[in-house]
Amino acid sequence: MIELSGLYGVYRSNRPSIDRSLITSLVERWRPETRTFHFRTGEATITLQDVEVLYGLPVNGDPVLGDESIRTIGDWQNICQRLLGFIPRHQDFNHSSLKVTALNAHMLEQLQLPDLTTQEMIDQMARCYMFWMIVGMMMADTSGNYLKLMYLPMLEDLNIIWAWERVIVLRPQVIAQRDIENNFLACLPRGPRATRWFAHFSWTDTTKHVLKIFRDALDSVTEDQFIWEPYSDDLIESLPIWRVRDPIFCWDIVEVHLPDRVMRQFGLNQTIPTPFLFDATHFHHDRRGRPNKNWKLEHAQWLPLWNQRLQYVCDAPVNREPLRYDDPYLI
């Protein structure tokens, strides 16, 4: 069930290790208006291609939107019983969030399913893992030991494939940190490429937690050192969906995937990009003070663009500069 959902790559990849100094040096070069990093060699960003290759996440599906109706703790207890197979205690809730310990305790009790397991029980356990991966790993925030329940109803129909690309594309610090820490990706023979970062780095071989060194390294990168295409031809096939210039969604947030600003990441010549203008208050929107929202209706003006996404594929002449396939960090 997890494989069918498209979340198996996240399951295999586990939690990332975080280097705050490296993230700080990247944030200093991040422009929220364009969703790109500004380096000496030009703009670069996390694309739909990176999301699909590194995590195997589906990028061509329904937008991650839902109806954030106001629910009581009793309502959430009923939903947890139906979808996850257990009823959390009243004290395990904080408004529309659930304690991590409550979900963990239930999953530890179900380490091995009984011989007479029904399909409903299998689906419920699959949802437990999927809910943890979405809220505990992909959508992790500053809420601490709580998991936001608003994503749980999205798992009711396990046959729906959601386009989870929004989760990663707009959280640049997670993937981009790993890209640079490993000199823009190293070799992995199979499986989701994010599992490459299971490797343990020693203090003698890897510089970590030194902000000045990261800043100097990023500032001194030259054109011949920057690997624009880290994936070899035998690993990927060129999919048009990776180059769509389109809004991508996650509940209250709408941002735009702008591949026309980083065409060199697709092996194409960089052309002059065109702006995608939002209104002046766009970047000030969040979920605070906006209860009981149906986000599909809220973002109705942008949804037609995503539904017709293949009409907005960016193209440019092929970059004839030869790839450095002898580089040990290509995969």
Side-chain angles (χ1 to χ4, degrees), residues 113-165:
L113 294 173
D115 293 336
L116 299 179
T117 300
T118 64
Q119 185 61 48
E120 181 182 17
M121 295 170 64
I122 293 173
D123 291 350
Q124 288 171 339
M125 185 52 59
R127 288 192 190 96
C128 288
Y129 278 96
M130 293 159 64
F131 178 57
W132 163 247
M133 286 186 288
I134 293 167
V135 186
M137 294 172 63
M138 294 162 55
M139 299 284 195
D141 58 18
T142 59
S143 59
N145 297 321
Y146 285 90
L147 304 172
K148 285 186 171 62
L149 287 164
M150 64 184 191
Y151 297 101
L152 182 55
M154 300 180 69
L155 301 177
E156 181 151 10
D157 187 348
L158 293 177
N159 294 314
I160 295 178
I161 301 298
W162 300 95
W164 292 111
E165 86 293 326

Side-chain angles (χ1 to χ4, degrees), residues 253-255 278-285 302:
I253 302 174
V254 180
E255 299 296 351
F278 287 115
D279 62 71
T281 63
H282 175 77
F283 293 106
H284 301 288
H285 291 173
W302 304 113

Side-chain angles (χ1 to χ4, degrees), residues 48 51 58-60 163-170 248-249 306:
L48 297 180
V51 174
V59 298
N60 193 20
W164 292 111
E165 86 293 326
R166 167 60 180 73
V167 176
I168 302 296
V169 169
L170 300 188
I248 48 182
F249 306 83
W306 175 254

Side-chain angles (χ1 to χ4, degrees), residues 84-235:
L84 302 180
F86 78 109
I87 304 175
R89 301 170 301 171
H90 194 278
Q91 58 266 36
D92 290 330
F93 292 92
N94 180 13
H95 301 293
S96 59
S97 297
L98 175 68
K99 279 186 178 179
V100 173
T101 52
L103 180 63
N104 286 349
H106 171 65
M107 295 174 70
L108 288 172
E109 291 175 359
Q110 303 290 328
L111 289 177
Q112 185 171 351
L113 294 173
D115 293 336
L116 299 179
T117 300
T118 64
Q119 185 61 48
E120 181 182 17
M121 295 170 64
I122 293 173
D123 291 350
Q124 288 171 339
M125 185 52 59
R127 288 192 190 96
C128 288
Y129 278 96
M130 293 159 64
F131 178 57
W132 163 247
M133 286 186 288
I134 293 167
V135 186
M137 294 172 63
M138 294 162 55
M139 299 284 195
D141 58 18
T142 59
S143 59
N145 297 321
Y146 285 90
L147 304 172
K148 285 186 171 62
L149 287 164
M150 64 184 191
Y151 297 101
L152 182 55
M154 300 180 69
L155 301 177
E156 181 151 10
D157 187 348
L158 293 177
N159 294 314
I160 295 178
I161 301 298
W162 300 95
W164 292 111
E165 86 293 326
R166 167 60 180 73
V167 176
I168 302 296
V169 169
L170 300 188
R171 275 177 168 73
Q173 63 271 29
V174 177
I175 289 184
Q177 173 213 341
R178 301 170 183 175
D179 283 355
I180 294 179
E181 185 168 293
N182 295 281
N183 202 4
F184 273 74
L185 307 175
C187 184
L188 184 74
R190 66 180 66 200
R193 268 49 193 176
T195 58
R196 166 65 180 84
W197 295 284
F198 277 142
H200 296 283
F201 297 101
S202 69
W203 285 97
T204 57
D205 297 331
T206 307
T207 301
K208 303 184 90 172
H209 312 300
V210 184
L211 179 57
K212 186 178 185 301
I213 291 179
F214 287 133
R215 285 170 171 165
D216 291 344
L218 292 174
D219 288 341
S220 62
V221 170
T222 59
E223 182 67 34
D224 63 310
Q225 293 174 323
F226 199 95
I227 302 173
W228 288 104
E229 296 179 75
Y231 317 123
S232 55
D233 291 339
D234 59 348
L235 177 65

Side-chain angles (χ1 to χ4, degrees), residues 66-72 75-76 96 150 251-252 286-298:
D67 185 355
E68 199 168 354
S69 302
I70 296 177
R71 294 182 172 95
T72 65
D75 295 332
W76 284 120
S96 59
M150 64 184 191
W251 288 77
D252 56 300
D286 57 31
R287 294 172 52 247
R288 290 176 295 184
R290 304 171 76 187
N292 211 27
K293 290 287 186 181
N294 184 330
W295 295 107
K296 290 184 178 179
L297 297 179
E298 193 77 6

